[in-house]
Amino acid sequence: MLLIRAHEEAAVALQGAGKAGGTCTAVGQEASAVGVVMALTENDQILTNHRSIGHLLARGADPRRTMAEILGRQDGYCAGKSGSLHISARELGVVLTSTIVGGELGLATGVALSRKMLGQPGIVACFFGDGAACEGRFHESLNLAAVWELPVLYVCENNHWQAFVHRRETMLVESITAHAPAHGVESNAVDGNDVEAVHDAASAAIAHIRKTGRPYLLETVTYRLRGHYEPDDQSYVDPQELAHWRARDPILLLKRKLDGEGVLDAAGQQRMEQRVRRRIEEAVGFAEANPYPSLDALTTDVYA
């Protein structure tokens, strides 16, 4: 979680310095990404959305290559062509990052159908937000996955904000899981800022999928602590709401828990933070020194 947070903050700094394009961060959502991804195996695949860096790094992505991709350099995961919002990494089982709201939902269902028809092992994990849960594709995807008995873990990272619109303006139900029974899908909602709770819930959901071959909807209730897209001053956010969730920062919560249990004291946490900072500084240095793609690469890996 520290690595993800430091990577996000470095990307924001690069954007502010005019060295990178805008990006959609997931600061505050680290526990959801780590808790779920760490419950997956190497045979499982991931489809994610525009707040994807946490899923990538939790999956084992090299921060040097993710940073190079953000800066549009040739040694990025997509040879500098995706920026921060469309990264895929086949070697990590990350099929794609979709910036179309809800786009990954239909695609994940298709990937799972393919895997089932080919007799391939593993499940498909699909990350989306509460905004995508308001799209028709959400219901279509869950319905088809249930009817076709597909091994999909649908993970709704409910961060309360759909771009600049609060979820209470777009839905009357308190929980996204309220939609699951209508499609015959098992579901659970969990505190998305408690990484251990997320991991336990994800492990149980994945075990259910592996046993039954049927889909599962997991809702991680979390909050993004930065704006929709950098730069964003969050002037539209209720200050009291933001303060409440800042006090529930998942990294802060875990630090307190580890310290209280005598597992990792303040000195140990500081050493860990220093290691992470050095790793991100190395990643930024690598990316800035990495060359841009040559012109002859303009039409490679382009399909029609």
Side-chain angles (χ1 to χ4, degrees), residues 200-269:
D200 289 345
S203 297
I206 291 167
H208 173 84
I209 296 169
R210 297 196 199 284
K211 180 180 179 180
T212 65
R214 295 180 61 81
Y216 194 102
L217 173 62
L218 178 65
E219 179 180 359
T220 60
V221 182
T222 183
Y223 198 86
R224 61 170 168 83
L225 296 176
R226 295 191 66 87
H228 167 59
Y229 187 78
E230 299 295 332
D232 179 353
D233 63 7
Q234 292 183 285
S235 59
Y236 49 90
V237 178
D238 181 343
Q240 290 185 326
E241 177 181 280
L242 187 56
H244 166 77
W245 284 97
R246 279 178 175 159
R248 298 205 71 253
D249 182 320
I251 294 177
L252 178 63
L253 293 179
L254 187 58
K255 282 181 177 181
R256 289 173 178 167
K257 182 173 183 179
L258 294 176
D259 190 25
E261 294 177 349
V263 176
L264 188 66
D265 61 16
Q269 292 178 19

